[in-house]
PDB file of all heavy atoms in Angstrom:
ATOM      1  N   PRO N 192     110.414  71.632 199.954  1.00  0.00           N
ATOM      2  CA  PRO N 192     111.089  70.686 199.058  1.00  0.00           C
ATOM      3  C   PRO N 192     110.142  70.037 198.050  1.00  0.00           C
ATOM      4  O   PRO N 192     110.482  69.893 196.875  1.00  0.00           O
ATOM      5  CB  PRO N 192     111.682  69.644 200.010  1.00  0.00           C
ATOM      6  CG  PRO N 192     111.756  70.305 201.312  1.00  0.00           C
ATOM      7  CD  PRO N 192     110.646  71.290 201.370  1.00  0.00           C
ATOM      8  N   VAL N 193     108.949  69.654 198.507  1.00  0.00           N
ATOM      9  CA  VAL N 193     107.990  69.017 197.606  1.00  0.00           C
ATOM     10  C   VAL N 193     107.530  69.995 196.536  1.00  0.00           C
ATOM     11  O   VAL N 193     107.447  69.654 195.342  1.00  0.00           O
ATOM     12  CB  VAL N 193     106.789  68.465 198.405  1.00  0.00           C
ATOM     13  CG1 VAL N 193     105.664  68.044 197.474  1.00  0.00           C
ATOM     14  CG2 VAL N 193     107.228  67.277 199.257  1.00  0.00           C
ATOM     15  N   VAL N 194     107.232  71.229 196.927  1.00  0.00           N
ATOM     16  CA  VAL N 194     106.785  72.241 195.948  1.00  0.00           C
ATOM     17  C   VAL N 194     107.900  72.541 194.954  1.00  0.00           C
ATOM     18  O   VAL N 194     107.653  72.664 193.738  1.00  0.00           O
ATOM     19  CB  VAL N 194     106.326  73.515 196.677  1.00  0.00           C
ATOM     20  CG1 VAL N 194     106.063  74.649 195.680  1.00  0.00           C
ATOM     21  CG2 VAL N 194     105.070  73.241 197.486  1.00  0.00           C
ATOM     22  N   ALA N 195     109.141  72.664 195.435  1.00  0.00           N
ATOM     23  CA  ALA N 195     110.261  72.960 194.537  1.00  0.00           C
ATOM     24  C   ALA N 195     110.447  71.856 193.505  1.00  0.00           C
ATOM     25  O   ALA N 195     110.770  72.130 192.341  1.00  0.00           O
ATOM     26  CB  ALA N 195     111.544  73.143 195.357  1.00  0.00           C
ATOM     27  N   LEU N 196     110.240  70.611 193.913  1.00  0.00           N
ATOM     28  CA  LEU N 196     110.383  69.500 192.976  1.00  0.00           C
ATOM     29  C   LEU N 196     109.189  69.379 192.040  1.00  0.00           C
ATOM     30  O   LEU N 196     109.335  68.928 190.902  1.00  0.00           O
ATOM     31  CB  LEU N 196     110.539  68.186 193.753  1.00  0.00           C
ATOM     32  CG  LEU N 196     111.907  67.895 194.357  1.00  0.00           C
ATOM     33  CD1 LEU N 196     111.828  66.683 195.282  1.00  0.00           C
ATOM     34  CD2 LEU N 196     112.939  67.649 193.269  1.00  0.00           C
ATOM     35  N   ALA N 197     107.999  69.771 192.485  1.00  0.00           N
ATOM     36  CA  ALA N 197     106.779  69.501 191.720  1.00  0.00           C
ATOM     37  C   ALA N 197     106.437  70.572 190.701  1.00  0.00           C
ATOM     38  O   ALA N 197     105.765  70.267 189.699  1.00  0.00           O
ATOM     39  CB  ALA N 197     105.603  69.332 192.685  1.00  0.00           C
ATOM     40  N   LEU N 198     106.851  71.822 190.895  1.00  0.00           N
ATOM     41  CA  LEU N 198     106.380  72.904 190.032  1.00  0.00           C
ATOM     42  C   LEU N 198     106.798  72.709 188.575  1.00  0.00           C
ATOM     43  O   LEU N 198     105.986  72.873 187.657  1.00  0.00           O
ATOM     44  CB  LEU N 198     106.893  74.245 190.562  1.00  0.00           C
ATOM     45  CG  LEU N 198     106.186  74.789 191.801  1.00  0.00           C
ATOM     46  CD1 LEU N 198     106.773  76.136 192.207  1.00  0.00           C
ATOM     47  CD2 LEU N 198     104.688  74.913 191.566  1.00  0.00           C
ATOM     48  N   GLY N 199     108.071  72.387 188.336  1.00  0.00           N
ATOM     49  CA  GLY N 199     108.530  72.196 186.960  1.00  0.00           C
ATOM     50  C   GLY N 199     107.812  71.064 186.246  1.00  0.00           C
ATOM     51  O   GLY N 199     107.253  71.259 185.149  1.00  0.00           O
ATOM     52  N   PRO N 200     107.784  69.842 186.818  1.00  0.00           N
ATOM     53  CA  PRO N 200     107.023  68.762 186.179  1.00  0.00           C
ATOM     54  C   PRO N 200     105.544  69.086 186.016  1.00  0.00           C
ATOM     55  O   PRO N 200     104.930  68.687 185.021  1.00  0.00           O
ATOM     56  CB  PRO N 200     107.234  67.582 187.143  1.00  0.00           C
ATOM     57  CG  PRO N 200     108.536  67.863 187.796  1.00  0.00           C
ATOM     58  CD  PRO N 200     108.593  69.351 187.940  1.00  0.00           C
ATOM     59  N   ALA N 201     104.949  69.776 186.979  1.00  0.00           N
ATOM     60  CA  ALA N 201     103.534  70.130 186.854  1.00  0.00           C
ATOM     61  C   ALA N 201     103.298  71.038 185.653  1.00  0.00           C
ATOM     62  O   ALA N 201     102.300  70.883 184.933  1.00  0.00           O
ATOM     63  CB  ALA N 201     103.047  70.809 188.136  1.00  0.00           C
ATOM     64  N   ALA N 202     104.192  71.985 185.407  1.00  0.00           N
ATOM     65  CA  ALA N 202     104.054  72.874 184.256  1.00  0.00           C
ATOM     66  C   ALA N 202     104.149  72.095 182.942  1.00  0.00           C
ATOM     67  O   ALA N 202     103.373  72.320 182.006  1.00  0.00           O
ATOM     68  CB  ALA N 202     105.120  73.962 184.308  1.00  0.00           C
ATOM     69  N   ILE N 203     105.102  71.154 182.880  1.00  0.00           N
ATOM     70  CA  ILE N 203     105.246  70.350 181.662  1.00  0.00           C
ATOM     71  C   ILE N 203     104.025  69.466 181.445  1.00  0.00           C
ATOM     72  O   ILE N 203     103.467  69.390 180.335  1.00  0.00           O
ATOM     73  CB  ILE N 203     106.524  69.491 181.760  1.00  0.00           C
ATOM     74  CG1 ILE N 203     107.768  70.384 181.833  1.00  0.00           C
ATOM     75  CG2 ILE N 203     106.632  68.548 180.568  1.00  0.00           C
ATOM     76  CD1 ILE N 203     109.050  69.619 182.092  1.00  0.00           C
ATOM     77  N   LEU N 204     103.579  68.788 182.494  1.00  0.00           N
ATOM     78  CA  LEU N 204     102.424  67.899 182.364  1.00  0.00           C
ATOM     79  C   LEU N 204     101.156  68.667 182.014  1.00  0.00           C
ATOM     80  O   LEU N 204     100.323  68.177 181.240  1.00  0.00           O
ATOM     81  CB  LEU N 204     102.219  67.128 183.669  1.00  0.00           C
ATOM     82  CG  LEU N 204     103.197  65.991 183.963  1.00  0.00           C
ATOM     83  CD1 LEU N 204     102.913  65.394 185.334  1.00  0.00           C
ATOM     84  CD2 LEU N 204     103.106  64.914 182.899  1.00  0.00           C
ATOM     85  N   ALA N 205     100.990  69.858 182.574  1.00  0.00           N
ATOM     86  CA  ALA N 205      99.801  70.651 182.265  1.00  0.00           C
ATOM     87  C   ALA N 205      99.742  70.988 180.780  1.00  0.00           C
ATOM     88  O   ALA N 205      98.669  70.941 180.157  1.00  0.00           O
ATOM     89  CB  ALA N 205      99.775  71.920 183.113  1.00  0.00           C
ATOM     90  N   ARG N 206     100.880  71.325 180.193  1.00  0.00           N
ATOM     91  CA  ARG N 206     100.904  71.614 178.754  1.00  0.00           C
ATOM     92  C   ARG N 206     100.562  70.368 177.938  1.00  0.00           C
ATOM     93  O   ARG N 206      99.818  70.437 176.954  1.00  0.00           O
ATOM     94  CB  ARG N 206     102.274  72.144 178.352  1.00  0.00           C
ATOM     95  CG  ARG N 206     102.622  73.491 178.959  1.00  0.00           C
ATOM     96  CD  ARG N 206     103.867  74.064 178.330  1.00  0.00           C
ATOM     97  NE  ARG N 206     103.645  74.383 176.922  1.00  0.00           N
ATOM     98  CZ  ARG N 206     104.599  74.733 176.077  1.00  0.00           C
ATOM     99  NH1 ARG N 206     105.849  74.829 176.494  1.00  0.00           N
ATOM    100  NH2 ARG N 206     104.321  75.026 174.833  1.00  0.00           N
ATOM    101  N   ILE N 207     101.116  69.207 178.356  1.00  0.00           N
ATOM    102  CA  ILE N 207     100.821  67.969 177.635  1.00  0.00           C
ATOM    103  C   ILE N 207      99.340  67.628 177.740  1.00  0.00           C
ATOM    104  O   ILE N 207      98.695  67.241 176.753  1.00  0.00           O
ATOM    105  CB  ILE N 207     101.688  66.815 178.178  1.00  0.00           C
ATOM    106  CG1 ILE N 207     103.173  67.114 177.958  1.00  0.00           C
ATOM    107  CG2 ILE N 207     101.306  65.499 177.521  1.00  0.00           C
ATOM    108  CD1 ILE N 207     103.568  67.218 176.510  1.00  0.00           C
ATOM    109  N   VAL N 208      98.776  67.732 178.947  1.00  0.00           N
ATOM    110  CA  VAL N 208      97.351  67.433 179.135  1.00  0.00           C
ATOM    111  C   VAL N 208      96.493  68.349 178.274  1.00  0.00           C
ATOM    112  O   VAL N 208      95.518  67.910 177.650  1.00  0.00           O
ATOM    113  CB  VAL N 208      96.973  67.553 180.624  1.00  0.00           C
ATOM    114  CG1 VAL N 208      95.457  67.450 180.804  1.00  0.00           C
ATOM    115  CG2 VAL N 208      97.665  66.474 181.438  1.00  0.00           C
ATOM    116  N   ARG N 209      96.843  69.626 178.231  1.00  0.00           N
ATOM    117  CA  ARG N 209      96.063  70.562 177.416  1.00  0.00           C
ATOM    118  C   ARG N 209      96.121  70.205 175.939  1.00  0.00           C
ATOM    119  O   ARG N 209      95.079  70.161 175.261  1.00  0.00           O
ATOM    120  CB  ARG N 209      96.576  71.986 177.631  1.00  0.00           C
ATOM    121  CG  ARG N 209      95.897  73.019 176.735  1.00  0.00           C
ATOM    122  CD  ARG N 209      96.448  74.415 176.925  1.00  0.00           C
ATOM    123  NE  ARG N 209      95.900  75.303 175.915  1.00  0.00           N
ATOM    124  CZ  ARG N 209      96.451  75.496 174.708  1.00  0.00           C
ATOM    125  NH1 ARG N 209      97.586  74.860 174.381  1.00  0.00           N
ATOM    126  NH2 ARG N 209      95.895  76.312 173.836  1.00  0.00           N
ATOM    127  N   VAL N 210      97.312  69.936 175.427  1.00  0.00           N
ATOM    128  CA  VAL N 210      97.447  69.605 174.001  1.00  0.00           C
ATOM    129  C   VAL N 210      96.705  68.320 173.660  1.00  0.00           C
ATOM    130  O   VAL N 210      95.981  68.250 172.657  1.00  0.00           O
ATOM    131  CB  VAL N 210      98.947  69.489 173.634  1.00  0.00           C
ATOM    132  CG1 VAL N 210      99.106  68.943 172.224  1.00  0.00           C
ATOM    133  CG2 VAL N 210      99.629  70.845 173.748  1.00  0.00           C
ATOM    134  N   GLU N 211      96.860  67.288 174.497  1.00  0.00           N
ATOM    135  CA  GLU N 211      96.183  66.024 174.228  1.00  0.00           C
ATOM    136  C   GLU N 211      94.670  66.171 174.345  1.00  0.00           C
ATOM    137  O   GLU N 211      93.922  65.569 173.567  1.00  0.00           O
ATOM    138  CB  GLU N 211      96.684  64.951 175.209  1.00  0.00           C
ATOM    139  CG  GLU N 211      98.129  64.555 175.013  1.00  0.00           C
ATOM    140  CD  GLU N 211      98.368  63.884 173.669  1.00  0.00           C
ATOM    141  OE1 GLU N 211      97.508  63.095 173.241  1.00  0.00           O
ATOM    142  OE2 GLU N 211      99.394  64.176 173.038  1.00  0.00           O
ATOM    143  N   THR N 212      94.209  66.965 175.313  1.00  0.00           N
ATOM    144  CA  THR N 212      92.771  67.163 175.471  1.00  0.00           C
ATOM    145  C   THR N 212      92.187  67.917 174.281  1.00  0.00           C
ATOM    146  O   THR N 212      91.087  67.598 173.807  1.00  0.00           O
ATOM    147  CB  THR N 212      92.479  67.925 176.774  1.00  0.00           C
ATOM    148  OG1 THR N 212      93.037  67.213 177.881  1.00  0.00           O
ATOM    149  CG2 THR N 212      90.982  68.073 176.985  1.00  0.00           C
TER     150      THR N 212
END
Side-chain angles (χ1 to χ4, degrees):
V193 169
V194 171
L196 282 171
L198 285 181
I203 297 173
L204 285 176
R206 294 190 66 189
I207 298 297
V208 172
R209 175 182 172 272
V210 171
E211 293 295 321
T212 303

